[in-house]
Amino acid sequence: MNLRRQLVLLSLCTLALPWAGCQYLRQVDQALAQGQMQTLEATGNAIAARLASAPELIAPDTRRNGRPPGAQLYLNPLPQAPVVDGYGEEWRALRLQPRQLLDRDGDTLAQITLGRHSNQVYLLLTASDRSPSYHDPRSSGISSGDTVEIYTASQQYALPVASQGPVQAMWYNPRRGQYERELRMRGRWTASPQGYQLELSMPAALSGGELGIRVLDRTQSDGGTPARLSSTLPSDGRPGALVEPLPQLQRELEHFARPELQLTVVDQEGFVLARTGEDWFAEGEEAEQPAVAPQSWLREWFYRQLLATDALPPLPRDQYPDNLTQNRETTGQWFSAPDKPTYNHSRSPGSERIGVASVPVVTRADDIIERPLLGRVIAAQSASALQSLTESAARRLWLTTAAAAGLVLLLLLGYASWLSWRIRQLHRAASNAVDASGRLRGDFPHPFIHDELGALNRAFASLLAELDHYHQYLRSLASKLSHELRTPLAVMRSSLDNLAAGDLDSDSRRYAERAADGGARLSSILNALSAANHLEASISQAEREDFDLADLMQVLTHSYADAHPGHHFELQRPETPQAYHGAPELLAQLLDKLVDNAVSFAPEGSAILMELQVERGEYRLSVSNTGPRLPPGFGQKLFDSLVSVRDDGGKAGHLGLGLHIARLIADFHRGELSATNREDGSGVTFTLRLPR
């Protein structure tokens, strides 16, 4: 992994900044929510204290004292009188919470909804009965099939179930000793997909403030014992009281009203006695406004993830859950706003939070050991203001941290690119510090930046400068040795000649001849060293000219065949002339060195192949011979000065300068000289590439 990617990965640590900001925002959001809940509890406590000091406001009906829970029925206030036709269309539009009537097995037998408008009480009953049993007129009883019984404070009414038609409410008149029809109860029967449905109306005075309902389900129309039964009547048979909102309590509660605050007072069973303030279920002109933009849900989801808030249960329409209405402790809970267009069109449905605090209303009578629970005060308020504040802070935090992280990322990326560029420059300079001939180039950069990379660069430059000085010393060492050793060598050879001219015994003469041969070889070595130095200087001063490279190869091949009759020379070249601009004498000398090397290693009578190939942008001259393979690692080292792979013990006087001179000539022509083994391993091929 390069330095740039490492620094980019390291820059990801800047993501800890928005993470830390999110943690802080979560704490702030929780603190604001807790503060709002405490404010709601304080409001509820104040109202509960007021109601506890005046219990007649919340419990004016003393008939409910001691009545078992579940016997009471709630009268929902109706905005208008429904049409009593048995279909209940107006009831469904109001979305009121029905009361479930369960049989002995815990299954729902029927559900009822009660309401009041003006002086009339309305009832909607829907029974679940796949096979209703209707009244048989031949029966002696008033209702031989399924029956709905209604109990008031002073009377009991039997309503025989019918598939369609008007309701016949029958009551027993003891003075006449017969059943009579109650004409003040008006209603209609209709069939429903689940069974049957009853819609009924009667004067409120007829109930006497109490009402009980019992549903009888018979399998046959014989007036026998019902198979299923469900009732709101308690065990004592006395119907429960009708509970409805209290006007005096409503007026008292309005004194505590505040904008965007909903106050609700419920009794012991959770029935709403008074409510004022914000209504999140109200239908109005706001519902006709355009819906929120499609992207709002994504934004709300993002904020919910950012603030780590879980999905909330929806706000109940009519009745709060039992944990808010069925205990004696102060409790609180968060809900989501109803899924409908509201006044706040900047939010998607269900995204607005509503805090609800429930405070019990307990009497202050000191002589009562267990103070009775009169009801509860439920304060609800939308957290839209706090939520908007938090989300606005989250938005600013996101933009700020994203901009900061992006800026840091760009700076680190730029810095990493700059460092990477400097390292690549240093790597390129170090790679090109030595040319193909092994010479040190003197153009190593010297940076002026005083940091670790600059110090490393200067150390490399200093090291290469020292190596260049040492290399120059080694290059001039041969000429210095040749110059310094000539005079002592001449003295030694003249002394040996004089010694050989005298009278010597056989052993002394043999030793003198050996010394003379050694001196002659040493003299040839010094001459070769001197010639190599002079030739290197003369190569750089050679003049270039245009000539036919194919013709030069043809002439040289004939010359080599005449000079080395023990080997067979073959030439492969193009038939057309191949123009080249260079020094023909130097190229001929280069080929002389290659052919001399091939003749030295090729077996007697073997073929030496010379080839000229024309490729795109270059000429390829090659000399190939059979013989031993190159030792490993000598592909380029073979062209260095004083390097030889001949195994002759040094007697032939080969110093390894021929191929070195050949490479100098190739460098002069900006070519490349290489040596490789044949693919079949039968010999060696020397190749010269010259640019066209």
Side-chain angles (χ1 to χ4, degrees):
M1 185 180 295
N2 56 29
L3 182 61
R4 183 186 303 177
R5 293 181 180 178
Q6 294 179 20
L7 286 179
V8 169
L9 290 179
L10 184 62
S11 65
L12 295 180
C13 296
T14 57
L15 296 179
L17 295 177
W19 177 84
C22 290
Q23 299 302 316
Y24 175 73
L25 277 180
R26 291 173 184 175
Q27 298 296 328
V28 171
D29 183 67
Q30 293 176 2
L32 292 176
Q34 185 178 3
Q36 180 177 357
M37 189 63 69
Q38 291 175 353
T39 302
L40 292 176
E41 291 178 0
T43 302
N45 285 323
I47 300 175
R50 171 70 182 94
L51 297 180
S53 64
E56 67 277 3
L57 292 175
I58 190 172
D61 190 359
T62 58
R63 292 177 298 178
R64 292 190 57 184
N65 297 335
R67 300 300 293 156
Q72 282 63 242
L73 295 176
Y74 184 70
L75 288 177
N76 295 280
L78 301 178
Q80 61 184 7
V83 178
V84 182
D85 55 3
Y87 294 102
E89 295 294 336
E90 295 82 357
W91 297 87
R92 281 187 285 272
L94 296 175
R95 300 179 183 178
L96 300 177
Q97 184 70 24
R99 167 77 176 272
Q100 305 292 328
L101 300 182
L102 307 180
D103 58 12
R104 298 183 183 91
D105 298 331
D107 299 327
T108 300
L109 177 58
Q111 56 183 15
I112 58 174
T113 307
L114 293 170
R116 179 171 179 172
H117 179 74
S118 185
N119 294 324
Q120 288 290 117
V121 174
Y122 296 89
L123 178 145
L124 178 67
L125 182 145
T126 302
S128 300
D129 190 355
R130 294 296 183 182
S131 57
S133 298
Y134 303 114
H135 173 62
D136 187 357
R138 297 171 298 179
S139 175
S140 60
I142 61 171
S143 179
S144 59
D146 295 343
T147 306
V148 175
E149 296 180 350
I150 297 179
Y151 296 82
T152 64
S154 59
Q155 196 56 262
Q156 172 185 352
Y157 300 92
L159 285 69
V161 176
S163 59
Q164 295 286 340
V167 170
Q168 293 184 359
M170 308 300 295
W171 63 283
Y172 182 74
N173 189 341
R175 290 184 299 176
R176 296 184 179 182
Q178 62 181 6
Y179 283 91
E180 297 181 0
R181 181 178 178 182
E182 178 58 68
L183 298 179
R184 290 175 295 179
M185 283 190 180
R186 294 178 301 167
R188 300 278 306 179
W189 296 101
T190 56
S192 68
Q194 294 79 20
Y196 58 88
Q197 186 167 276
L198 167 65
E199 191 171 12
L200 179 74
S201 70
M202 64 179 178
L206 185 61
S207 66
E210 297 180 356
L211 193 68
I213 296 176
R214 190 168 70 158
V215 180
L216 308 178
D217 181 18
R218 295 185 175 94
T219 58
Q220 297 180 358
S221 301
D222 56 0
T225 303
R228 301 171 64 196
L229 184 146
S230 180
S231 174
T232 63
L233 291 173
S235 59
D236 59 1
R238 177 185 171 185
L242 286 175
V243 181
E244 57 183 324
L246 304 175
Q248 187 176 358
L249 178 61
Q250 179 72 26
R251 290 190 294 270
E252 183 70 23
L253 192 62
E254 289 176 354
H255 296 160
F256 298 90
R258 295 202 310 270
E260 299 185 0
L261 176 66
Q262 183 189 80
L263 297 175
T264 305
V265 178
V266 299
D267 64 0
Q268 305 96 317
E269 299 184 40
F271 295 135
V272 177
L273 302 180
R275 174 174 289 169
T276 184
E278 186 71 33
D279 187 2
W280 292 281
F281 294 94
E283 300 286 344
E285 297 179 356
E286 295 81 7
E288 300 177 359
Q289 297 183 9
V292 293
Q295 69 271 15
S296 294
W297 70 269
L298 181 61
R299 184 184 62 187
E300 299 296 340
W301 175 87
F302 173 74
Y303 288 146
R304 191 159 54 243
Q305 297 299 320
L306 187 67
L307 299 176
T309 56
D310 299 328
L312 300 175
L315 181 70
R317 185 181 184 89
D318 296 311
Q319 188 172 5
Y320 287 103
D322 292 343
N323 64 315
L324 295 176
T325 59
Q326 301 296 326
N327 60 73
R328 301 174 61 90
E329 303 294 333
T330 300
T331 58
Q333 186 176 350
W334 287 96
F335 296 93
S336 63
D339 294 339
K340 58 180 288 296
T342 63
Y343 59 89
N344 191 352
H345 293 281
S346 64
R347 299 185 179 277
S348 60
S351 63
E352 183 180 355
R353 293 184 299 174
I354 297 177
V356 178
S358 177
V359 180
V361 180
V362 181
T363 181
R364 293 185 175 182
D366 296 333
D367 56 343
I368 300 178
I369 299 176
E370 183 178 0
R371 299 176 181 178
L373 179 67
L374 302 180
R376 302 186 70 88
V377 176
I378 300 176
Q381 187 178 31
S382 172
S384 58
L386 299 179
Q387 201 169 349
S388 299
L389 178 63
T390 304
E391 292 178 359
S392 176
R395 190 183 305 112
R396 291 195 300 270
L397 171 69
W398 169 253
L399 294 177
T400 303
T401 55
L407 180 60
V408 171
L409 180 62
L410 290 177
L411 290 177
L412 287 178
L413 183 60
Y415 181 68
S417 301
W418 180 60
L419 286 182
S420 180
W421 175 81
R422 291 179 60 192
I423 294 175
R424 287 197 303 271
Q425 290 292 103
L426 180 59
H427 177 268
R428 190 179 299 111
S431 300
N432 299 330
V434 181
D435 59 13
S437 62
R439 297 179 181 178
L440 296 174
R441 295 189 175 98
D443 55 349
F444 199 84
H446 291 74
F448 298 98
I449 301 177
H450 299 283
D451 58 2
E452 289 78 0
L453 280 180
L456 180 61
N457 201 328
R458 288 187 291 273
F460 268 114
S462 177
L463 176 62
L464 291 176
E466 294 295 330
L467 289 176
D468 185 58
H469 294 160
Y470 184 69
H471 190 263
Q472 294 294 336
Y473 167 75
L474 292 179
R475 290 174 58 85
S476 62
L477 181 61
S479 61
K480 292 179 180 179
L481 289 176
S482 177
H483 177 74
E484 295 296 333
L485 293 178
R486 284 188 181 278
T487 301
L489 182 60
V491 174
M492 182 186 68
R493 293 188 65 183
S494 63
S495 300
L496 290 175
D497 291 340
N498 293 330
L499 182 62
D503 295 333
L504 298 174
D505 54 21
S506 59
D507 293 336
S508 299
R509 186 169 297 281
R510 184 172 66 254
Y511 295 144
E513 291 175 354
R514 290 179 181 177
D517 292 340
R521 289 198 300 273
L522 183 58
S523 178
S524 64
I525 292 173
L526 294 178
N527 291 333
L529 289 175
S530 178
N533 289 328
H534 291 302
L535 180 61
E536 184 175 351
S538 63
I539 289 175
S540 61
Q541 300 176 359
E543 297 182 357
R544 300 174 184 265
E545 60 181 75
D546 295 329
F547 64 95
D548 185 1
L549 190 58
D551 183 66
L552 177 64
M553 291 284 292
Q554 182 69 40
V555 173
L556 291 177
T557 303
H558 291 313
S559 300
Y560 297 147
D562 295 338
H564 304 284
H567 295 81
H568 178 65
F569 286 86
E570 299 178 1
L571 175 63
Q572 296 181 2
R573 68 177 184 88
E575 296 298 332
T576 58
Q578 303 297 323
Y580 184 72
H581 184 74
E585 295 84 3
L586 294 180
L587 290 178
Q589 189 175 2
L590 182 148
L591 292 174
D592 290 345
K593 302 298 183 182
L594 298 182
V595 169
D596 179 68
N597 184 79
V599 170
S600 300
F601 289 95
E604 189 72 22
S606 62
I608 298 177
L609 177 61
M610 301 182 65
E611 186 176 6
L612 172 61
Q613 296 179 350
V614 181
E615 296 185 356
R616 185 177 181 180
E618 68 176 9
Y619 291 113
R620 290 185 60 185
L621 290 74
S622 61
V623 177
S624 180
N625 64 276
T626 59
R629 294 164 52 89
L630 287 175
F634 272 79
Q636 289 297 329
K637 190 185 299 184
L638 195 63
F639 300 101
D640 292 341
S641 179
L642 301 177
V643 175
S644 177
V645 295
R646 301 175 187 269
D647 191 14
D648 56 3
K651 296 180 180 181
H654 293 284
L655 302 178
L657 296 175
L659 294 180
H660 175 64
I661 294 174
R663 190 182 66 177
L664 295 178
I665 297 174
D667 293 342
F668 173 76
H669 289 87
R670 297 181 181 178
E672 181 181 354
L673 186 60
S674 61
T676 57
N677 293 316
R678 287 181 174 180
E679 294 182 358
D680 57 0
S682 61
V684 178
T685 300
F686 287 82
T687 304
L688 173 64
R689 290 181 173 85
L690 296 175
R692 297 179 63 180

